[in-house]
Amino acid sequence: SAGQEFVDLLGIDARRITKVPPAADGFAEMDTDDSKFPELASRLNITAPYFTYAASYEGRKNFADLMAAFAEFHATPVAVAVRTITDQLGLDPSDVILTGQVSDEELKLLYSNCVAMVYPSRHEGFGLPALEAMHCDVPVIGSNASSIPEVIGLADAMFNPCSTADIAAHIWRVATDEAYRD
């Protein structure tokens, strides 16, 4: 995708472009201690199942539409039921937790313990966070734009990043359909 942008936008001959995709090998091989997750969850106030979104706050990363889709998801009967259960248990889950910068080990723990990683970016050079999450054996749903399809490689796991309804439908499906998550 990035190489094609050089051809399309700059008129560079495609034969002059060598594509070297980044990888998350070091991230995948990093040894993390899962027993550290409860302390991390406590520090970040994670008290319920959650989705991850690992990116900076830039327009192209599509954070605003992710939040709108999450609001649509939150209005579903399952989400209401989850809130009812957490209320009955006396929990006070936050819907959105902004962690700020976390270490690679903390990020790997967050990926490894989430329901799924959601990647709604409208434009990426590669989409490394999606690959990192997949290395953690986490379901990843993401945008069907830019280079993200090259990383995810599964049409059913991709949505239109300009449609909050489509994003919400994929969040709903990954949260409720075990076969789909698998």
Side-chain angles (χ1 to χ4, degrees), residues 15-62:
R15 294 173 295 185
R16 295 186 60 210
I17 298 172
T18 301
K19 299 174 186 174
V20 182
D25 292 344
F27 188 85
E29 294 167 0
M30 180 177 35
D31 190 25
T32 55
D33 181 355
D34 285 338
S35 69
K36 292 182 179 180
F37 181 73
E39 183 275 326
L40 177 62
S42 175
R43 184 166 46 87
L44 297 177
N45 197 29
I46 297 172
T47 60
Y50 63 94
F51 295 90
T52 58
Y53 164 80
S56 58
Y57 186 78
E58 299 175 48
R60 70 185 175 93
K61 300 289 187 172
N62 206 18

Side-chain angles (χ1 to χ4, degrees), residues 36-114:
K36 292 182 179 180
F37 181 73
E39 183 275 326
L40 177 62
S42 175
R43 184 166 46 87
L44 297 177
N45 197 29
I46 297 172
T47 60
Y50 63 94
F51 295 90
T52 58
Y53 164 80
S56 58
Y57 186 78
E58 299 175 48
R60 70 185 175 93
K61 300 289 187 172
N62 206 18
F63 183 73
D65 283 348
L66 174 60
M67 291 295 91
F70 189 70
E72 286 183 37
F73 164 75
H74 233 298
T76 65
V78 169
V80 171
V82 169
R83 284 195 306 276
T84 300
I85 292 168
T86 58
D87 288 347
Q88 289 172 348
L89 295 173
L91 301 173
D92 185 28
S94 296
D95 292 334
V96 177
I97 299 170
L98 301 174
T99 64
Q101 187 76 25
V102 296
S103 70
D104 285 347
E105 181 180 12
E106 290 169 328
L107 182 58
K108 190 169 183 180
L109 286 170
L110 289 168
Y111 284 144
S112 297
N113 288 279
C114 71

Side-chain angles (χ1 to χ4, degrees), residues 51 73 78 115-116 170-178 180-181:
F51 295 90
F73 164 75
V78 169
V115 172
H170 280 76
I171 292 172
W172 166 262
R173 188 170 179 197
V174 78
T176 61
D177 185 339
E178 185 175 349
Y180 178 67
R181 272 193 312 279

Side-chain angles (χ1 to χ4, degrees), residues 140-145 148-160 166 170 180:
V140 175
I141 57 174
S143 166
N144 64 4
I148 299 168
E150 296 174 37
V151 176
I152 295 177
L154 182 63
D156 279 353
M158 291 179 273
F159 49 74
N160 177 347
D166 197 19
H170 280 76
Y180 178 67

